[in-house]
Amino acid sequence: MEKLPTMTDLQSNYVIKIIRFESLVPEPSSQWDVLPDEHHKEITDEIKRIIFTTNDVLHMGENVSNTSYETFKGKVEGIVARIDSYLDLESFTGTTTPSLSDIEIQNGERFARIGWVIVDLFPKILRAVIQKQISAGFLYKLCSDNWNLFTYEEQNKLNSLKSSKTYDLLDIPLAYRLLRQFGIINEPTNKWGKPPSRTDSSTGDDIERIRFLRNNYAHRSNINVTQSEFDTTFSTFKEICHRMDKYFNNDCASGYENDVSRIKTTPMDNQLRQKIPKISSRVRKYEM
């Protein structure tokens, strides 16, 4: 690390580690990995609730019901109100919710659209690349011969290759690892793990671009995306997907590049806006 980050640049997982291991607050009423009951409301308990509530979001399905949303909203409001009290901040207690500024809404929408590509479209592309090159059964055999190299969670996902003969449970980190570890496609021009140059255009190069793009947004400390950055990012998305459409001989009218254009321009209604926190959390879920 060349320099220490500012407070606004610190990601939440690092903040929690600092708080916990530097003993900046008293020990919680129960162990750190145990959710506190409703009677424990010290600041450390609220920090633990933040951790558990964040994990709840990460494990939600794609379709979030109104009941789940309202439950989540109630938890967050309670946590925030108690933390405001701890910090001697004025909590909002009015009957209407204060509106976000136009800039905050635009930043959130731009980040959500980028996250939509990363969370939904890119995993589909990586799975399709694997499926084009190798059958699920043979891939499972390769994995089972090296079973001890995979985590328990990865093993559960890989078992779907045998049971359902599909790749649907392969997320970006696992799909990338399989492509790289078993040489399913030719390695990128600049080798695995290194950013491709602007002119590198092989399938392996684009898989590396997907990984670097995903990591860039996963490691951000905020969701502030300028219009210029948004346009540049989507231009890169379209270039990647244009080449992938050629790789798969996709119809231009229904291929991946068309999906990117649709994601960029689809009107953001209230239902989609409610998914912004979920998309943002899922972008950050895995580190590669």
Side-chain angles (χ1 to χ4, degrees):
M1 183 181 295
E2 295 181 358
K3 63 179 181 178
L4 290 173
T6 64
M7 290 301 293
T8 55
D9 290 333
L10 278 175
Q11 298 171 28
S12 60
N13 57 326
Y14 293 130
V15 172
I16 290 171
K17 286 181 180 179
I18 291 171
I19 290 173
R20 178 176 177 181
F21 294 107
E22 294 298 326
S23 301
L24 299 183
V25 293
E27 283 295 306
S29 55
S30 57
Q31 295 179 349
W32 277 97
D33 58 352
V34 176
L35 178 65
D37 62 44
E38 61 182 11
H39 302 296
H40 293 103
K41 297 180 180 179
E42 298 298 326
I43 185 61
T44 319
D45 298 315
E46 303 306 339
I47 293 171
K48 288 172 59 178
R49 287 189 179 93
I50 290 174
I51 298 171
F52 277 89
T53 303
T54 301
N55 288 336
D56 287 344
V57 172
L58 296 178
H59 290 93
M60 286 181 181
E62 286 297 327
N63 298 316
V64 180
S65 67
N66 286 334
T67 301
S68 297
Y69 171 74
E70 291 298 332
T71 300
F72 170 78
K73 180 170 173 283
K75 288 181 181 178
V76 172
E77 288 175 344
I79 293 170
V80 171
R82 290 188 292 271
I83 291 178
D84 281 346
S85 176
Y86 173 80
L87 297 174
D88 292 326
L89 298 177
E90 181 179 354
S91 293
F92 181 81
T93 57
T95 57
T96 59
T97 303
S99 299
L100 294 172
S101 70
D102 289 342
I103 292 177
E104 289 173 318
I105 292 173
Q106 291 167 5
N107 281 333
E109 289 186 2
R110 286 192 285 259
F111 187 88
R113 291 180 192 277
I114 290 171
W116 192 344
V117 175
I118 292 172
V119 168
D120 184 65
L121 186 58
F122 279 170
K124 290 178 181 177
I125 291 175
L126 296 191
R127 293 177 199 133
V129 171
I130 295 175
Q131 187 173 14
K132 180 179 173 69
Q133 298 294 332
I134 189 171
S135 69
F138 186 65
L139 180 57
Y140 178 79
K141 183 181 184 306
L142 290 176
C143 294
S144 62
D145 290 341
N146 299 273
W147 207 239
N148 62 321
L149 299 179
F150 298 97
T151 66
Y152 178 75
E153 183 179 0
E154 288 173 334
Q155 290 173 5
N156 285 336
K157 294 175 182 178
L158 292 171
N159 278 327
S160 67
L161 298 173
K162 180 180 180 181
S163 59
S164 63
K165 306 295 184 183
T166 67
Y167 303 86
D168 293 347
L169 295 184
L170 301 186
D171 50 43
I172 288 181
L174 184 53
Y176 172 85
R177 179 180 178 182
L178 296 174
L179 285 162
R180 176 176 177 173
Q181 182 167 326
F182 296 120
I184 295 174
I185 60 170
N186 293 332
E187 68 178 3
T189 306
N190 201 27
K191 309 300 181 183
W192 290 111
K194 298 179 181 179
S197 70
R198 186 71 180 83
T199 56
D200 294 338
S201 58
S202 71
T203 301
D205 296 327
D206 282 328
I207 288 172
E208 274 298 342
R209 284 191 180 91
I210 288 173
R211 185 178 79 91
F212 275 94
L213 283 164
R214 183 258 161 221
N215 283 347
N216 177 47
Y217 284 91
H219 297 160
R220 294 174 74 104
S221 60
N222 56 60
I223 62 171
N224 297 331
V225 178
T226 65
Q227 186 64 48
S228 175
E229 179 186 355
F230 177 77
D231 291 337
T232 299
T233 301
F234 264 86
S235 177
T236 302
F237 287 167
K238 290 189 72 172
E239 290 172 359
I240 292 171
C241 289
H242 178 77
R243 288 188 291 267
M244 286 295 180
D245 282 337
K246 285 187 174 181
Y247 176 75
F248 290 108
N249 294 318
N250 288 338
D251 184 350
C252 293
S254 58
Y256 295 125
E257 186 178 4
N258 181 68
D259 288 339
V260 170
S261 297
R262 177 177 55 83
I263 291 170
K264 183 180 181 182
T265 59
T266 295
M268 187 73 74
D269 58 19
N270 288 334
Q271 185 176 7
L272 285 175
R273 286 194 180 98
Q274 288 182 5
K275 291 186 177 182
I276 289 176
K278 173 69 182 301
I279 293 172
S280 301
S281 296
R282 290 190 63 194
V283 170
R284 294 183 167 96
K285 184 175 182 181
Y286 297 106
E287 183 171 354
M288 298 168 61

